[in-house]
Amino acid sequence: MAETVDLVIHGGTIVSPDASYRASIAIKDGLIHAIGAADAMPPAKETLDATGLHILPGAIDVHVHFRDPGYPQKEDFASGTAAAAFGGVTCVFDMPNTLPTINNAESLADKHKIASAKAYVDYGLYAVLGDDSIAHVPALIEGGVIGFKLYMGNTFGRIPSPSTGAMLEAFEVVAPTGKRISLHAETNSIMERREARLRAAGRTEPIAHLAARPAVVAVEAVERAATLAEWTGARIHVLHISSAAELRPLAEAKARGVEITGETCPQYLLLDETDYDKFGGVVRVNPPVREKPNQQPIWDALVDGTIDMIATDHAPHAPEEKTRPDIWTVDCGFPGVETQMPLMLTEINKGRATIQDYVRWSADAPAKIWGLYPRKGTLTVGSDADIAIVDLNREWTVDDALIQSTSRISPWHGRKATALPIHTIVRGRFVMKDRILQEDARGTGRSVHAIQQMPKPAPRNTDSTMQAITSNTGR
Ligand code: NCD
Ligand code: ZN
C-alpha cells in the first residue's frame, strides 16, 4: 500500500510551458509528490475534483507594492497577499518604497517581521539601491533580499534617482553578488523638465501626464542602464515596459549578451490613451498608459521572448488619492495583482497567445530569472505545490467594490472577463478555496530569498571599479 498523501487533485488539465494534459496531481508535505493517471495516485487525506478546470503553476508577480509599513489606507501585507491569493498568485516580490524606505538592515528586518506575520502567499523583498544604500548592500543581502530596486526616475515615494555616476558604482557593487537589479527605467531629468513646463503652462488635465513622459523617457533609460550593465556585468531587469520603442534597446542588449530581462504589465497591453477620458486620474501610472499602436508590438515581444514575463506593478492608493482634480497631485498607480491572471487568460481565450505562453510569462520565466526554479514556477514532482486552479469558461465583470485589495479603485472596473481562479494553493495549503479566503493561511507565507540560487556572477571591468581605484589596486 502506497503512503498516504495530503491532497490529490483529479480531473483537471495541467498546463506547462510546453503542453497541456489531463492528469491527477498528488501533494504531500507541501511538495508535488506524483503526477499521473487517477488510478495510479496514492491514497489521500483530501481530494479535490477539478473536472473542467485548468491547473497552472501559481503566478509569480515580481512587482507589487503592498505599502507595509507606512500606508494602511492603501494596502498592507495581509490585504495585498489576500488579493494575490484571489488572483492565482502564489509568490510576490514586494517593492521597497514603503515608509520607511527599505534601504538598510533595520528597515528590512522590520519588514520581514511584518510580512511573515501577515502573508497568505510566499514573497520576496526588494531593497532600494541608491546613493544612501550602496554601502549597505552586503548587510541587505545578509538580511534577505530577493534583489535590488533602482529608481532612475521619480515615482510614488519620491525616492531620489541616483546620478549615472552613482548608478555605475551601484552596479559595480552588486555585480559580484549575482543579485538582479530591477529598474524603474524612466529618465528623471527629461520628465521633470517637461512636467515643470506643462505645469507652468497651466496643463492639469489627465492626459498631460502622458505628455510629460513620452516613450523617449523610458527608451533613454533602458539604453543607458544596458550600457552600465554591459560594462559591469550586473544583472538587470527592466520593470513595466510600456512602449514599443523600448523593445529595440532591450533586444539589442540581449543580442550583445547583456544580462537583461524585461516585464510588461496588463495596463500596457490592454489600456490606451482613450482611457484618460474614461477614467481620469485613476489611470495615472508611471510609466504612463500610452497610445494604442504600442500594444501589438509589446504583445509580439512577449510571444517572441524579447519581453520575458508579465508582472503587475500592483500600486494601490485610496480613492481620495486617485480622484484629485489636478493630475499632478494624483497618486500614481492602481491595483492589479488580483486581476492580472483572469484578464490575461481572457486574452488567451480570445486567441492572442497560447496558455503555454501565459504559463511561461507568469511563472516559468520569473522563477528561472530569480533563481527559484525548479522549486517554484513549475508543476513537477519535487517542486513546491504552488498552484492556481482556474475556470477558463467563466463570464464575470470586474467590480472594484468586490476586490480584496484595500484600494478599491482601478481602471479595470467594469471590464468583462472569461476566466477566473477558483482555488489557490501555496506549498500544498489552500489559501483561497471556492473563491473564499482561507483565514487560517494568514501568516503562512514565507520569504523565498532563502531558496534563491542565482547563477555564478560574471562581473566585468573589475580593475576600474570605484573600489579598485580608491584602494590603489586598479588602474
Ligand atoms: C508605483 C507606486 O505607487 O508605488 N506607482 C506607479 O505609478 N507605478 C511606483 C512605481 O512602480 O513606479
Ligand atoms: Zn516603477
Side-chain angles (χ1 to χ4, degrees), residues 63 65 67 97 149 151 155-156 184 240 284-286 313 315 317 332-333:
H63 188 174
H65 300 267
R67 313 295 192 203
N97 57 339
K149 167 80 173 267
Y151 290 87
T155 184
F156 178 75
H184 182 108
H240 41 42
R284 186 182 193 209
V285 61
N286 300 325
D313 186 13
H317 298 287
C332 294

Side-chain angles (χ1 to χ4, degrees), residues 248-308:
R248 181 193 55 76
L250 175 63
E252 286 177 359
K254 283 191 168 186
R256 296 200 304 274
V258 180
E259 284 227 40
I260 186 171
T261 55
E263 77 186 27
T264 190
C265 313
Q267 48 270 33
Y268 307 114
L269 297 165
L270 301 175
L271 303 178
D272 63 50
E273 83 272 35
T274 62
D275 289 295
Y276 290 88
D277 285 340
K278 283 185 216 145
F279 293 102
V282 173
V283 82
R284 186 182 193 209
V285 61
N286 300 325
V289 166
R290 299 191 187 281
E291 303 80 0
K292 193 158 183 82
N294 288 284
Q295 289 179 353
Q296 191 58 45
I298 297 176
W299 276 105
D300 295 344
L302 269 172
V303 171
D304 74 21
T306 304
I307 296 178
D308 300 271

Side-chain angles (χ1 to χ4, degrees), residues 323-377:
T323 51
R324 296 171 187 139
D326 177 345
I327 192 64
W328 308 115
T329 65
V330 172
D331 281 354
C332 294
F334 44 78
V337 73
E338 195 168 342
T339 44
Q340 177 272 115
M341 185 179 287
L343 294 179
M344 290 299 294
L345 291 176
T346 298
E347 300 304 306
I348 299 298
N349 280 342
K350 290 181 196 160
R352 290 198 84 153
T354 68
I355 194 161
Q356 285 77 34
D357 287 328
Y358 175 75
V359 163
R360 179 162 53 84
W361 308 332
S362 63
D364 176 82
K368 286 177 175 162
I369 286 166
W370 269 274
L372 301 175
Y373 190 91
R375 189 66 186 271
K376 301 275 187 203

Side-chain angles (χ1 to χ4, degrees), residues 33-337:
H33 181 81
I35 298 176
D39 57 12
M41 291 294 112
K45 292 181 196 151
E46 187 182 353
T47 59
L48 181 78
D49 179 5
T51 305
L53 303 178
H54 283 71
I55 302 178
L56 277 54
I60 300 173
D61 187 341
V62 305
H63 188 174
V64 304
H65 300 267
F66 284 169
R67 313 295 192 203
D68 205 349
Y71 305 98
Q73 80 281 14
K74 299 177 191 285
E75 198 78 285
D76 75 358
F77 232 89
S79 59
T81 52
F86 273 67
V89 176
T90 52
C91 184
V92 293
F93 295 173
D94 186 60
M95 287 296 176
N97 57 339
T98 43
L99 270 183
T101 302
I102 308 307
N103 60 7
N104 59 35
E106 297 73 54
S107 55
L108 176 64
D110 287 344
K111 194 190 264 197
H112 270 299
K113 282 200 201 101
I114 292 167
S116 69
K118 296 185 184 175
Y120 287 90
V121 304
D122 285 347
Y123 54 86
L125 302 181
Y126 277 105
V128 163
L129 185 63
D131 276 297
D132 51 4
S133 63
I134 292 178
H136 301 151
V137 164
L140 287 163
I141 290 175
E142 179 66 27
V145 292
I146 197 69
F148 291 93
K149 167 80 173 267
L150 191 145
Y151 290 87
M152 296 179 77
N154 181 41
T155 184
F156 178 75
R158 297 213 147 264
I159 290 168
S161 60
S163 67
T164 306
M167 221 174 124
L168 176 63
E169 187 175 346
F171 280 24
E172 289 170 357
V173 169
V174 175
T177 73
K179 292 280 183 186
R180 192 168 289 274
I181 304 165
S182 292
L183 303 163
H184 182 108
E186 287 191 295
T187 295
N188 210 54
S189 61
I190 306 177
M191 63 199 189
E192 238 171 33
R193 189 177 180 91
R194 295 174 67 95
E195 181 178 323
R197 291 287 173 83
L198 285 158
R199 287 178 154 206
R203 297 275 307 272
T204 59
E205 82 286 10
I207 198 102
H209 177 63
L210 174 57
R213 297 176 181 237
V216 66
V217 170
V219 176
E220 199 278 337
V222 173
E223 189 113 55
R224 185 156 44 94
T227 300
L228 302 183
E230 184 168 27
W231 183 263
T232 56
R235 299 194 166 109
I236 60 171
H237 175 71
V238 181
L239 298 161
H240 41 42
I241 292 171
S242 60
S243 69
E246 281 158 89
L247 301 172
R248 181 193 55 76
L250 175 63
E252 286 177 359
K254 283 191 168 186
R256 296 200 304 274
V258 180
E259 284 227 40
I260 186 171
T261 55
E263 77 186 27
T264 190
C265 313
Q267 48 270 33
Y268 307 114
L269 297 165
L270 301 175
L271 303 178
D272 63 50
E273 83 272 35
T274 62
D275 289 295
Y276 290 88
D277 285 340
K278 283 185 216 145
F279 293 102
V282 173
V283 82
R284 186 182 193 209
V285 61
N286 300 325
V289 166
R290 299 191 187 281
E291 303 80 0
K292 193 158 183 82
N294 288 284
Q295 289 179 353
Q296 191 58 45
I298 297 176
W299 276 105
D300 295 344
L302 269 172
V303 171
D304 74 21
T306 304
I307 296 178
D308 300 271
M309 71 190 76
I310 279 284
T312 66
D313 186 13
H314 175 86
H317 298 287
E320 56 276 16
E321 298 164 336
K322 290 298 293 176
T323 51
R324 296 171 187 139
D326 177 345
I327 192 64
W328 308 115
T329 65
V330 172
D331 281 354
C332 294
F334 44 78
V337 73

Side-chain angles (χ1 to χ4, degrees), residues 455-468:
K456 197 170 172 292
R460 296 206 195 112
N461 292 304
T462 50
D463 56 356
S464 62
T465 61
M466 198 68 93
Q467 216 263 321

